[in-house]
């Protein structure tokens, strides 16, 4: 008896896939620093003592040129006017009376001068005044300057976007095995391995 043998293979499809890949690389932040060192900038002034002894020196006759001129300037003009007037009167007196008989005008003039000089000496008096103390001003030492606290500034520079690279995915299909149907005839048996 004849037997029909059939061998059948199914087609096989192979699929090879590669996933899409997104790569993102962030750029590291860049750090920079500005540094200004702190400084005290402090100092001090020297202590100073000012002594004004002029009032005490002025009391016993030591005058500055300005004070001397102020005090004796007007007196000089007054003495000059008085002396001029006196000499003028004396000259007119000599002119009018010196030639008269029995007058001794020159002797009387010099006698009057000597008498006036003696009388002025008798009328002199001394005034005792307290000599003022010198003015002493002390300027204390002072702390000057301002403190500079310094400055440490850090700058961080970053990029707003990361560097990215996208590799698209792939799908590859191929026929791994073809489909087929084989038939043959054997006698008295089935050929299952053919």
């Amino acid at each position: 008896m004849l037997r029909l043998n059939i061998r059948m293979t199914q087609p096989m499809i192979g699929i090879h896939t590669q996933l899409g890949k997104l790569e993102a690389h962030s750029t590291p932040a860049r750090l920079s620093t500005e540094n200004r060192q702190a400084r005290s900038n402090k100092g001090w002034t020297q202590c100073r003592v000012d002594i004004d002894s002029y009032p005490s020196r002025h009391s016993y006759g030591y005058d500055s040129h300005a004070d001397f001129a102020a005090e004796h300037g007007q007196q000089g003009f007054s003495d000059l006017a008085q002396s001029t007037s006196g000499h003028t009167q004396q000259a007119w007196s000599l002119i009018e009376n010196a030639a008269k008989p029995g007058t001794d005008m020159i002797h009387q003039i010099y006698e009057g001068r000597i008498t006036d000089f003696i009388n002025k000496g008798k009328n002199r008096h001394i005034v005792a005044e307290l000599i003022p103390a010198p003015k002493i001003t002390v300027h204390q030492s002072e702390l000057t300057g301002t403190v500079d606290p310094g400055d440490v500034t850090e700058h961080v520079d970053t990029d707003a976007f990361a560097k990215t690279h996208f590799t698209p995915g792939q799908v590859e299909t191929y026929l791994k095995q073809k489909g087929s149907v084989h038939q043959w005839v054997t006698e008295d048996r089935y050929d299952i391995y053919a």
Side-chain angles (χ1 to χ4, degrees), residues 91-194:
W92 280 109
S93 179
L94 285 172
I95 290 170
E96 293 175 354
N97 300 320
K100 292 181 181 177
T103 59
D104 193 6
M105 289 293 295
I106 295 175
H107 176 72
Q108 291 175 0
I109 290 171
Y110 283 104
E111 185 180 358
R113 286 184 183 175
I114 292 171
T115 304
D116 287 344
F117 180 76
I118 292 171
N119 289 336
K120 283 183 182 177
K122 290 180 181 177
N123 294 332
R124 289 186 181 176
H125 58 278
I126 297 174
V127 177
E129 293 181 357
L130 179 66
I131 296 175
K135 295 178 182 177
I136 300 174
T137 306
V138 178
H139 301 277
Q140 298 179 354
S141 62
E142 296 178 357
L143 191 63
T144 60
T146 56
V147 175
D148 181 5
D151 183 25
V152 178
T153 304
E154 294 183 350
H155 300 283
V156 180
D157 298 322
T158 58
D159 294 331
F161 300 99
K163 294 180 180 178
T164 59
H165 178 71
F166 177 68
T167 305
Q170 294 179 351
V171 177
E172 181 185 352
T173 60
Y174 60 93
L175 185 62
K176 189 173 183 181
Q177 177 180 322
K178 292 182 180 180
S180 65
V181 177
H182 296 285
Q183 296 178 354
W184 68 96
V185 177
T186 58
E187 192 172 341
D188 295 331
R189 63 182 180 86
Y190 286 112
D191 187 2
I192 62 173
Y193 296 108

Side-chain angles (χ1 to χ4, degrees), residues 12-131:
M12 293 177 66
I13 298 174
I15 300 175
H16 179 68
T17 61
Q18 181 178 356
L19 298 175
K21 185 163 62 171
L22 176 64
E23 296 174 299
H25 301 285
S26 63
T27 305
R30 295 173 296 281
L31 178 67
S32 60
T33 305
E34 293 179 11
N35 186 2
R36 189 178 80 249
Q37 294 295 324
R39 294 177 179 270
S40 70
N41 291 331
K42 287 288 188 179
W44 59 89
T45 60
Q46 293 291 330
C47 180
R48 192 175 82 244
V49 178
D50 293 335
I51 301 174
D52 183 11
S53 61
Y54 182 71
S56 58
R57 291 181 293 147
H58 178 67
S59 66
Y60 54 82
Y62 181 83
D63 292 334
S64 66
H65 294 299
D67 287 345
F68 184 84
E71 187 174 337
H72 297 288
Q74 285 302 109
Q75 183 181 351
F77 286 119
S78 174
D79 290 349
L80 179 63
Q82 184 180 0
S83 176
T84 304
S85 174
H87 286 304
T88 303
Q89 289 177 1
Q90 184 179 358
W92 280 109
S93 179
L94 285 172
I95 290 170
E96 293 175 354
N97 300 320
K100 292 181 181 177
T103 59
D104 193 6
M105 289 293 295
I106 295 175
H107 176 72
Q108 291 175 0
I109 290 171
Y110 283 104
E111 185 180 358
R113 286 184 183 175
I114 292 171
T115 304
D116 287 344
F117 180 76
I118 292 171
N119 289 336
K120 283 183 182 177
K122 290 180 181 177
N123 294 332
R124 289 186 181 176
H125 58 278
I126 297 174
V127 177
E129 293 181 357
L130 179 66
I131 296 175

